Amino acid sequence: EFLRKTYGPTGAFNAKPFEGGRSWAGARPELRIIGYDAHGVAAHMGLLRRFIRVGDADLLVAELGLWGVRPDLEGLGLNHSMLVMYPVLQQLGVPFVFGTVRHALHKLVGRLCRNGHASILAGVRVRSTLSDVYLNLPPTRTEDVLVVVFPIGRSMNEWPSGTLIERNGPEL
């Protein structure tokens, strides 16, 4: 319900994957972080370790997805709570956290990048397997999105170059 209500205002299509009690859009998260307040779920984030292909390089990452803040709490800095996750991310043994956002969220995500905690990579397309298979649709989707990378075990200089990222599975 939280994800349906959070993603619904961005378009009915965005809320559709969460209809019928489904609590993830594609791949099931390995780790969920859920923040509560007196009114229920305040924020949610999911992580999944996976290999992606960036250009010609295979790379282990923790994919960040299902990231949302209840609409009445937007603008209060809850997205910065991602930073308290660094110790957990270091325990996962991943060199980078990778996520994608719509171009409309550039300003919001850009705030996380101000202090060097993350970098936004524009001009990179991301190919994903569709989470549901339909005979009349192709099995993959390629999107022009903003890629957000948090260096955890390596420096940002070690992120491979490439203009296409293969997710090797469905979007988280």
Side-chain angles (χ1 to χ4, degrees), residues 150-167:
F150 295 82
I152 303 297
R154 293 191 191 164
S155 73
M156 201 55 214
N157 295 339
E158 296 178 72
W159 179 265
S161 62
T163 58
L164 178 67
I165 294 175
E166 295 272 356
R167 231 187 209 118

Side-chain angles (χ1 to χ4, degrees), residues 87-101:
V88 172
L89 296 169
Q90 289 170 330
Q91 289 175 354
L92 290 176
V94 295
F96 301 99
V97 171
F98 150 84
T100 61
V101 297

Side-chain angles (χ1 to χ4, degrees), residues 6 30 47 56 58 73 83 110 113 130 166 170:
T6 300
E30 178 179 352
L47 290 169
D56 294 330
D58 287 325
L73 299 174
L83 303 179
C113 301
L130 295 177
E166 295 272 356

Side-chain angles (χ1 to χ4, degrees), residues 6-158:
T6 300
Y7 291 164
T10 66
F13 180 79
N14 295 330
K16 190 170 178 61
F18 306 105
E19 290 177 359
R22 190 168 171 191
S23 63
W24 57 88
R28 182 176 220 138
E30 178 179 352
L31 175 67
R32 285 180 183 228
I33 298 93
I34 304 172
Y36 296 91
D37 67 8
H39 303 288
V41 177
H44 181 280
M45 181 184 316
L47 290 169
L48 175 68
R49 277 182 288 194
R50 69 173 1 148
F51 281 93
I52 61 173
R53 180 171 280 270
V54 182
D56 294 330
D58 287 325
L59 182 64
L60 175 66
V61 297
E63 181 173 357
L64 173 64
L66 301 171
W67 195 352
V69 174
R70 199 172 62 227
D72 64 307
L73 299 174
E74 288 178 2
L76 298 178
L78 289 181
N79 280 327
H80 285 87
S81 63
M82 165 62 184
L83 303 179
V84 302
M85 287 298 302
Y86 269 72
V88 172
L89 296 169
Q90 289 170 330
Q91 289 175 354
L92 290 176
V94 295
F96 301 99
V97 171
F98 150 84
T100 61
V101 297
R102 297 180 323 275
H103 286 273
L105 297 175
H106 189 280
K107 184 177 177 182
L108 174 69
V109 175
R111 290 184 209 138
L112 285 172
C113 301
R114 280 190 226 156
N115 296 325
H117 295 296
S119 295
I120 297 174
L121 308 178
V124 177
R125 297 174 55 80
V126 179
R127 185 174 324 179
S128 308
T129 304
L130 295 177
S131 57
D132 295 315
V133 178
Y134 299 99
L135 295 176
N136 60 337
L137 295 174
T140 61
R141 171 180 66 211
T142 303
E143 299 177 283
D144 176 23
V145 291
L146 293 176
V147 173
V148 182
V149 177
F150 295 82
I152 303 297
R154 293 191 191 164
S155 73
M156 201 55 214
N157 295 339
E158 296 178 72

